[in-house]
Amino acid sequence: MFSNLSPIWRKRLRVIVAAWALLLVAVAFLASGASVREQVEAPRAREDMDAVIGEAALYLTGEVYFLSVGPLEVGECDVTPLRPGVALARTLMIERSHEVALEGLADRFGLARSGSAAPTWIGTTAGYIEVRVTEIDPGISQVRVSTGCRPADGLGVFRPAPPAEADASWNFGAVDCPGGGRLESWTTPSTRQPLAVEDSDGGCV
């Protein structure tokens, strides 16, 4: 294609192509950075995420519902092509739930009803926290909250000593509730529902 070009112009063309490739990488990096410029790093995002779970738990505490909070889930991801990060998620399971309570919870967080078969509400908070409320089965629902990909600097995971009867499958989850109180749970993975509860406070206490 460029065989009719002189050696000088072929060299110039290679320089231009290399410079163009570097420009594309820089644009991709800056564009990605712009999309996350207001997103805080993982430790603060975890606080924002747990605050949503805590608010939901407080809203439901005092009714007939039994609540359990899952462990912090951490997955690797890329904030930008040149910047690694982590995506965080946590689940609040609601037992003895009903659709009226879920609608009230959805209104509290400004969530929109989706068109899925199961009753589901989804939305995003001002801090880029993704919130999904879903009725899994009659009487079993979940609030699933996630951060998206965030810079991973300084993230630590706390796990207290487990109960004497626990084994390696038990996972710890805890969130502070607004105005005081705390929800703590020990759970195990489940294929039938969001969590299998081994021990939980049941609400904000």
Side-chain angles (χ1 to χ4, degrees), residues 10 20 31 47 61 75 78 123-124 135 145 159 166 169 176 186-187 189:
R10 283 199 293 271
W20 179 250
E47 294 177 8
T61 294
D78 292 321
T124 304
E135 183 179 64
V145 184
R159 176 185 169 93
S169 67
D176 293 324
W186 287 92
T187 62

Side-chain angles (χ1 to χ4, degrees), residues 135-185:
E135 183 179 64
I136 305 298
D137 285 312
I140 298 290
S141 303
Q142 73 171 12
V143 179
R144 178 76 174 173
V145 184
S146 56
T147 65
C149 194
R150 304 299 182 102
D153 300 343
L155 180 68
V157 179
F158 171 74
R159 176 185 169 93
E165 67 273 21
D167 59 36
S169 67
W170 286 37
N171 298 308
F172 179 74
V175 292
D176 293 324
C177 302
R182 185 171 170 86
L183 172 61
E184 296 185 353
S185 305

